[in-house]
């Protein structure tokens, strides 16, 4: 099923709607169940060996191993039942988070920053408000021509651009210091220093035509992509913004202010105070509305709900498992007390038994779920031609919450079983047995 999903693709875009390949739901479920059953089979072969080597262990560990080996089939059944919902939760949350992070990263590359504000020019003059260090000016020229093809120009302020741009070293192909330093420290020598972005190897650009003006260019660095590259199929030149001031003002030019979320309110206030109008605001979050990801997030949200209900069933199964063996446990508890086994040792053995099942289920389920995410997240690329490549998002929040839930369940179930054993009268239980 995974091979077929790779061949067919994980998602398909139809206008603004996105359709999910059902195989991305089917193959992880089969992989989880099959992998867990295989692991349970291996553990069933290892449990007798564990019993032989546990002879010299402390009392609590010795009792735990004896009880688990004595009911290995039930123990492993509960283990699989508890691990499946944990794996589904890890897969659903991890894949949804990876998709959203990838779309946000692509949107950040397109927008260029967390917020890009298009400014309105008056009488053909560029607005130049004082930003007080809260943002950076960017000139976007779309209609350049070089080598008989269209090329865009991005005029930036090299000294402050890196503080506000959405920069991914892996996608760009270099660090801020390397590329912006090369641009800021370059000598003009009669030509405008530029970073060539997204062009094939061995491409040379010597001159760019801006409407009626020819601008000499000297390429000082190259990059795979760059913040603000909005036409991935076309190359782009990044230059110092000051080198565009005296060029042809009739070129298709847009003046923008880039900033981040923490400075956005201050920038908007400053622009308003200085009478500068904002024509449009671009943010990565706006892309989530333009690209309808709700069908995918709803699908995996539904899977998470089903997994949570299955988790409750698994917890109920564990309680039933303990209840079914309650009389045997109570008899062993009272006989053990007469042989010198303390209440503390008995409680520790119960906690170890429950923890062995639940912690093992958490490790196995989460690991298999994340492995399925590792296999599937690259298939959720809505626009493969636009950088960056799909990103893997580790569901840290979900893993932390599930660890807390496992810890609480272990303590409660073990403590309840111990209290129930202590409250039973030894004489009545032993007479019946």
């Amino acid at each position: 099923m995974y091979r077929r999903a790779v061949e067919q693709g994980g998602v398909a875009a139809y206008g603004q709607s996105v359709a999910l390949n059902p195989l991305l739901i089917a193959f992880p479920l089969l992989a989880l169940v099959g992998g867990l059953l295989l692991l349970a089979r291996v553990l069933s072969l290892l449990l007798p060996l564990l019993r032989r080597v546990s002879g010299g262990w402390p009392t609590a560990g010795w009792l735990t191993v004896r009880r688990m080996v004595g009911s290995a089939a039930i123990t492993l059944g509960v283990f699989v039942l508890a691990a499946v919902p944990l794996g589904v939760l890890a897969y659903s949350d991890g894949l949804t988070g990876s998709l959203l992070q990838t779309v946000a990263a692509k949107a950040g590359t397109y927008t260029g920053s967390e917020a890009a504000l298009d400014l309105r020019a008056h009488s053909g003059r560029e607005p130049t408000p004082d930003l007080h260090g809260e943002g950076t000016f960017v000139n976007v020229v779309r209609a350049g021509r070089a080598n008989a093809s269209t090329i865009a120009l991005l005029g930036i302020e090299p000294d402050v651009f890196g503080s506000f741009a959405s920069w991914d070293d892996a996608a760009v192909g270099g660090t801020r210091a390397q590329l912006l330093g090369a641009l800021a420290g370059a000598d003009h020598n009669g030509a405008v220093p530029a970073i060539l972005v997204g062009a094939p190897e061995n491409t040379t650009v010597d001159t760019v035509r801006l409407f009626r003006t020819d601008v000499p260019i000297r390429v000082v660095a190259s990059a795979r992509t760059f913040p603000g590259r909005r036409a991935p199929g076309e190359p782009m030149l990044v230059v110092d913004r000051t080198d565009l001031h005296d060029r042809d003002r009739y070129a298709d030019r847009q003046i923008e202010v880039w900033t981040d979320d923490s400075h956005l309110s201050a920038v908007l206030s400053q622009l308003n105070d200085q009478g500068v109008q904002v024509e449009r605001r671009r943010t990565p979050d706006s892309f989530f509305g333009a690209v309808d990801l709700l069908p995918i997030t709803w699908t995996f949200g539904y899977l998470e709900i089903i997994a949570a209900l299955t988790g409750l069933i698994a917890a109920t199964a564990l309680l039933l498992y303990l209840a079914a063996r309650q009389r045997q446990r109570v008899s062993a508890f009272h006989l053990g007390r007469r042989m010198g086994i303390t209440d503390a040792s008995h409680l520790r053995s119960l906690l170890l038994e429950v923890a062995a099942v639940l912690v093992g289920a958490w490790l196995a389920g989460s690991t298999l779920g994340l492995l399925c995410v590792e296999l599937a997240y690259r298939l959720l690329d809505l626009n493969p031609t636009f950088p960056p490549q799909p990103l893997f998002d580790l569901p840290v929040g979900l893993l932390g919450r599930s660890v807390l839930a496992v810890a609480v369940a272990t303590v409660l179930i073990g403590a309840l079983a111990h209290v129930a054993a202590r409250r039973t009268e030894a004489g009545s239980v032993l007479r019946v047995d």
Side-chain angles (χ1 to χ4, degrees):
M1 284 192 174
Y2 173 72
R3 182 171 56 82
R4 289 183 59 191
V6 172
E7 294 172 352
Q8 299 174 6
V11 290
Y14 302 96
Q16 292 184 342
S17 299
V18 178
L20 178 70
N21 190 335
L23 293 176
L24 289 187
I25 301 175
F27 99 79
L29 295 179
L30 294 178
L32 280 170
V33 175
L36 290 171
L37 289 176
L38 178 61
L39 181 58
R41 173 65 68 181
V42 173
L43 291 176
S44 68
L45 300 176
L46 295 179
L47 281 177
L49 177 62
L50 183 63
R51 179 172 183 170
R52 286 195 293 270
V53 301
S54 64
W57 288 10
T59 303
W62 185 87
L63 288 174
T64 298
V65 172
R66 291 307 185 274
R67 283 197 297 262
M68 293 179 65
V69 173
S71 56
I74 300 177
T75 300
L76 294 174
V78 175
F79 160 79
V80 172
L81 185 59
V84 168
L86 289 167
V88 173
L89 284 173
Y91 175 75
S92 300
D93 199 73
L95 200 61
T96 303
S98 298
L99 173 63
L100 296 179
Q101 184 175 339
T102 299
V103 173
K106 289 177 181 289
T109 299
Y110 179 90
T111 303
S113 64
E114 294 179 357
L117 310 175
D118 295 357
L119 305 186
R120 177 176 296 177
H122 293 281
S123 302
R125 293 179 299 176
E126 296 183 6
T128 55
D130 188 356
L131 300 179
H132 301 287
E134 306 284 353
T136 181
F137 283 103
V138 176
N139 287 29
V140 181
V141 181
R142 304 181 181 88
R145 301 286 296 178
N147 299 329
S149 60
T150 303
I151 190 169
L153 275 78
L154 193 71
I156 67 171
E157 299 174 304
D159 295 337
V160 295
F161 179 81
S163 300
F164 301 100
S166 299
W167 195 285
D168 184 340
D169 290 352
V172 172
T175 64
R176 291 179 175 91
Q178 291 172 339
L179 294 177
L180 299 181
L183 184 63
D187 296 328
H188 283 65
N189 294 328
V192 175
I195 302 172
L196 181 59
V197 179
E201 293 185 6
N202 302 321
T203 299
T204 59
V205 177
D206 300 322
T207 304
V208 172
R209 180 79 172 178
L210 296 181
F211 194 56
R212 293 174 300 184
T213 304
D214 289 330
V215 180
I217 296 294
R218 185 168 65 88
V219 176
V220 296
S222 61
R224 287 193 293 270
T225 189
F226 203 83
R229 187 186 180 196
R230 295 169 186 172
E234 299 177 358
M236 183 176 75
L237 289 172
V238 181
V239 301
D240 193 317
R241 182 174 180 266
T242 58
D243 292 327
L244 297 177
H245 278 325
D246 298 329
R247 307 298 175 179
D248 198 325
R249 68 175 55 192
Y250 294 100
D252 184 10
R253 182 180 309 185
Q254 175 66 52
I255 311 303
E256 301 181 5
V257 170
W258 291 7
T259 185
D260 52 28
D261 292 337
S262 61
H263 296 92
L264 178 59
S265 298
V267 168
L268 290 174
S269 177
Q270 291 164 11
L271 294 177
N272 183 64
D273 293 343
Q274 298 176 59
V276 179
Q277 295 182 336
V278 177
E279 288 187 330
R280 181 181 180 184
R281 182 191 306 182
R282 294 185 178 93
T283 62
D285 291 342
S286 64
F287 281 76
F288 293 110
V291 180
D292 190 1
L293 300 177
L294 288 179
I296 294 179
T297 56
W298 282 348
T299 299
F300 289 111
Y302 175 74
L303 275 182
E304 291 182 11
I305 294 174
I306 296 298
L309 293 175
T310 308
L312 293 177
I313 295 174
T316 304
L318 185 56
L319 291 173
L320 293 175
Y321 158 68
L322 293 175
R325 302 184 59 209
Q326 184 65 23
R327 178 168 296 279
Q328 178 183 356
R329 290 175 180 274
V330 171
S331 301
F333 169 71
H334 289 294
L335 289 173
R337 292 183 68 178
R338 283 157 175 74
M339 292 186 291
I341 297 177
T342 64
D343 287 352
S345 294
H346 181 260
L347 175 60
R348 284 196 298 270
S349 70
L350 288 174
L351 293 176
L352 285 174
E353 181 179 1
V354 177
V357 175
L358 293 184
V359 173
W362 182 87
L363 288 172
S366 300
T367 300
L368 288 174
L370 293 178
L371 286 176
C372 290
V373 175
E374 174 65 27
L375 290 173
Y377 82 94
R378 295 179 183 85
L379 304 179
L380 294 181
D381 196 349
L382 297 173
N383 190 351
T385 62
F386 202 88
Q389 296 300 310
L391 304 175
F392 178 81
D393 181 63
L394 183 67
V396 177
L398 173 70
L399 295 177
R401 293 191 298 271
S402 61
V403 167
L404 180 61
V406 167
V408 171
T410 298
V411 173
L412 287 179
I413 294 174
L416 288 174
H418 176 69
V419 170
R422 286 199 62 195
R423 287 182 176 178
T424 307
E425 294 183 3
S428 61
V429 174
L430 294 178
R431 278 196 302 271
V432 172
D433 287 345

